[in-house]
Amino acid sequence: MAEILLISLAVFLRVVSNPVGNVFQKQITQEGSHPLWVNFLTYLLLSCICLFAFSYVKVDKLGYDFWFYSLLGGIFGALGNGLLVKALQKGNLSILGPINSYKSIVGLIFGFILLGEIPNIWGIIGVAIIIFGSSLVLDTTEERFTPALLKNKEIQYRIGAMVLTAIEAVFVKKVILASSPAIAFISWCIFGAIFSYFLVF
């Protein structure tokens, strides 16, 4: 029961924090800050918070898989979130939001390819609901729910970010399997900060 409550809380925090964070990132870029700096500073802030917890991690106990997938996750995460902030700078959240919902579908695809995970019937129903719901929202745009949407730079950035962060999510799961959720989060923050720093230059 406690585990279910903890998972529910984690999902709730993820659902709420993501769009709230996107709003702040959009505001900062519209005030003139470069998207890659915003991306780096977001990771850096999270890393500073994690440094205290990192002192309790037994680094020598972490195996090859942990470091390998942490590096891959850091690279894909930094690139994906960099593109996401760029998309937020140029695009409208009401349009980018529905596209973001496709991340779970892309995640399912790469989860199947890289992890061998097969979605159950509820997963397939969820995919259908996402496609139907997003099509209703995107159909209100000038280009409507057509390939013409792909001509928008912000849409291209968002799709690129979605694919990269969906792949990143697979690597993060590998890191979790090689350590724990808490250590994986610390790893995600620190490696994301490192690679997003290189992106700035």
Side-chain angles (χ1 to χ4, degrees):
M1 184 65 179
E3 185 179 352
I4 294 174
L5 288 173
L6 186 60
I7 292 172
S8 299
L9 177 61
V11 171
F12 174 77
L13 290 174
R14 176 68 177 85
V15 169
V16 172
S17 64
N18 193 52
V20 171
N22 288 346
V23 170
F24 284 118
Q25 288 173 325
K26 183 174 179 65
Q27 286 179 330
I28 295 169
T29 55
Q30 287 184 330
E31 290 173 1
S33 298
H34 194 284
L36 292 180
W37 268 111
V38 175
N39 182 42
F40 167 62
L41 292 174
T42 302
Y43 274 116
L44 182 63
L45 177 62
L46 289 168
S47 296
C48 290
I49 296 170
C50 288
L51 283 178
F52 174 75
F54 184 72
S55 62
Y56 291 94
V57 176
K58 296 179 180 178
V59 178
D60 58 317
K61 301 291 185 182
L62 300 172
Y64 170 81
D65 281 359
F66 171 83
W67 296 108
F68 178 69
Y69 289 114
S70 289
L71 284 170
L72 288 177
I75 293 169
F76 279 86
L79 289 170
N81 285 296
L83 284 179
L84 170 60
V85 179
K86 184 68 176 175
L88 291 170
Q89 180 190 35
K90 292 180 169 291
N92 192 319
L93 283 172
S94 64
I95 303 300
L96 297 176
I99 293 174
N100 184 51
S101 64
Y102 283 88
K103 180 179 175 181
S104 57
I105 299 175
V106 177
L108 280 175
I109 294 169
F110 283 104
F112 172 72
I113 295 170
L114 299 175
L115 298 175
E117 293 183 349
I118 301 174
N120 58 23
I121 186 64
W122 293 109
I124 295 170
I125 291 172
V127 167
I129 291 172
I130 288 170
I131 294 172
F132 177 72
S134 61
S135 67
L136 291 178
V137 176
L138 294 173
D139 212 32
T140 62
T141 63
E142 184 180 342
E143 298 87 354
R144 307 185 69 82
F145 189 60
T146 65
L149 272 173
L150 300 177
K151 294 179 180 178
N152 296 338
K153 277 291 183 185
E154 61 270 24
I155 302 295
Q156 294 172 8
Y157 288 136
R158 188 64 193 91
I159 291 173
M162 178 178 64
V163 172
L164 289 168
T165 54
I167 298 172
E168 173 209 17
V170 175
F171 293 138
V172 169
K173 177 157 186 180
K174 288 282 194 179
V175 175
I176 292 171
L177 293 174
S179 55
S180 70
I183 294 175
F185 178 73
I186 295 170
S187 160
W188 177 79
C189 295
I190 293 175
F191 280 96
I194 292 169
F195 288 108
S196 60
Y197 175 77
F198 288 125
L199 275 181
V200 170
F201 300 102

